[in-house]
Amino acid sequence: MKKKILVIAPHPDDEVLGAGGILYKSKKYGYKTKVLTIGTNFTPPVEKKKLDNCISEAKEAHKVLRVDKSVFFNIPALTIHKEPTEVLTSRIYYEIKEFEPSVVLIPFPDMHQDHKTVFNLCTAVTRPKGVGKKISIVACYEVPSATYYSAPKIEPNFYPNWNIDITSSIKKKSDALKKYKSTLDKNELARSTRSINSLATFRGSQVNFKFAESFYIIRFLSKNIII
């Protein structure tokens, strides 16, 4: 099995909020990592100066997490669903084929329109056929704020079935989030270092870890008993 993790994010910072801990921790175990960011944090028209600054911040965050490769599609926020499905599917397919990940982490389909769209695209591309046959795990990550604004029982709720001990990497996750200075609103308490530390503490308490990052496994494939 190739030790590679691909995180697909709807917007810059989602990859840190949902999977920053596993991205950093995996390096200790010899994994190569890649982040594919589909959209931007800005609705159209997107100012080039703001976009360039946000991408720069994302790259700084990825440097903290020791991400090997960063790819940005730069589709304006809230317009991802307007892109031709066949075009976006092909672009995501290419990134997966080029990297050949064994683990693919995608956003949970919460109430955020972009999260739902990216989830739908990714579940289609990662089916266990074609490039998907080489993927061992496809799982959803939670995003503080968006994942918890959903209406209980009316919309899908996040119930994790895979928990990663990120006690050794929680500080790096927080440090990476701090790099997003232009997009993190000090009044948005749900998207803050305090919030991700609180969530990691809570998830850890559920499984007897000090800090944990949690995921919902969609598909787990293994030709061998040991992976």
Side-chain angles (χ1 to χ4, degrees):
M1 181 187 74
K2 293 187 177 181
K3 300 174 74 171
K4 295 182 178 181
I5 294 178
L6 170 64
V7 176
I8 302 178
H11 316 99
D13 78 16
D14 287 335
E15 79 287 359
V16 176
L17 291 165
I22 191 174
L23 276 170
Y24 184 78
K25 183 174 182 177
S26 67
K27 303 302 293 181
K28 178 181 177 182
Y29 297 94
Y31 278 80
K32 289 188 178 297
T33 56
K34 175 178 177 178
V35 174
L36 167 59
T37 307
I38 305 295
T40 72
N41 281 325
F42 312 104
T43 54
V46 179
E47 295 179 24
K48 185 178 186 303
K49 185 176 180 180
K50 286 186 175 181
L51 178 59
D52 289 345
N53 184 58
C54 188
I55 291 176
S56 177
E57 290 177 344
K59 289 181 177 178
E60 286 299 310
H62 295 176
K63 189 181 297 183
V64 172
L65 298 176
R66 299 174 61 197
V67 172
D68 294 297
K69 187 171 184 179
S70 306
V71 177
F72 302 88
F73 285 178
N74 295 329
I75 300 170
L78 303 181
T79 69
I80 298 176
H81 69 287
K82 295 181 180 180
E83 294 290 312
T85 301
E86 67 277 11
V87 173
L88 263 185
T89 299
S90 294
R91 294 181 71 185
I92 295 171
Y93 179 96
Y94 170 80
E95 296 299 335
I96 292 176
K97 182 179 180 181
E98 183 269 340
F99 189 59
E100 295 187 320
S102 51
V103 178
V104 177
L105 304 177
I106 66 178
F108 183 74
D110 53 47
M111 71 171 298
H112 197 302
Q113 180 174 279
D114 289 346
H115 293 194
K116 288 179 179 177
T117 301
V118 173
F119 169 84
N120 289 336
L121 291 166
C122 292
T123 50
V125 177
T126 59
R127 288 173 297 176
K129 55 188 292 187
V131 294
K133 291 175 68 176
K134 297 181 180 181
I135 300 171
S136 296
I137 297 176
V138 179
C140 290
Y141 55 83
E142 55 186 335
V143 177
S145 72
T147 302
Y148 308 113
Y149 291 157
S150 299
K153 295 187 178 180
I154 298 175
E155 295 180 292
N157 299 130
F158 185 81
Y159 297 111
N161 54 16
W162 183 29
N163 302 280
I164 304 292
D165 184 346
I166 61 165
T167 304
S168 63
S169 56
I170 184 64
K171 185 180 185 303
K172 290 294 183 180
K173 178 171 179 168
S174 295
D175 290 345
L177 188 61
K178 291 175 185 176
K179 297 298 182 181
Y180 285 105
K181 294 178 182 178
S182 67
T183 58
L184 293 182
D185 186 344
K186 65 180 180 180
N187 295 315
E188 175 60 273
L189 299 180
R191 302 170 72 86
S192 64
T193 55
R194 179 182 178 183
S195 173
I196 62 174
N197 276 274
S198 296
L199 178 60
T201 299
F202 171 64
R203 290 302 185 198
S205 72
Q206 292 180 305
V207 290
N208 203 31
F209 294 153
K210 187 173 181 180
F211 296 102
E213 208 164 57
S214 299
F215 305 88
Y216 181 85
I217 294 177
I218 298 171
R219 189 172 299 110
F220 182 13
L221 306 175
S222 179
K223 291 185 178 180
N224 304 310
I225 296 175
I226 300 175
I227 64 167

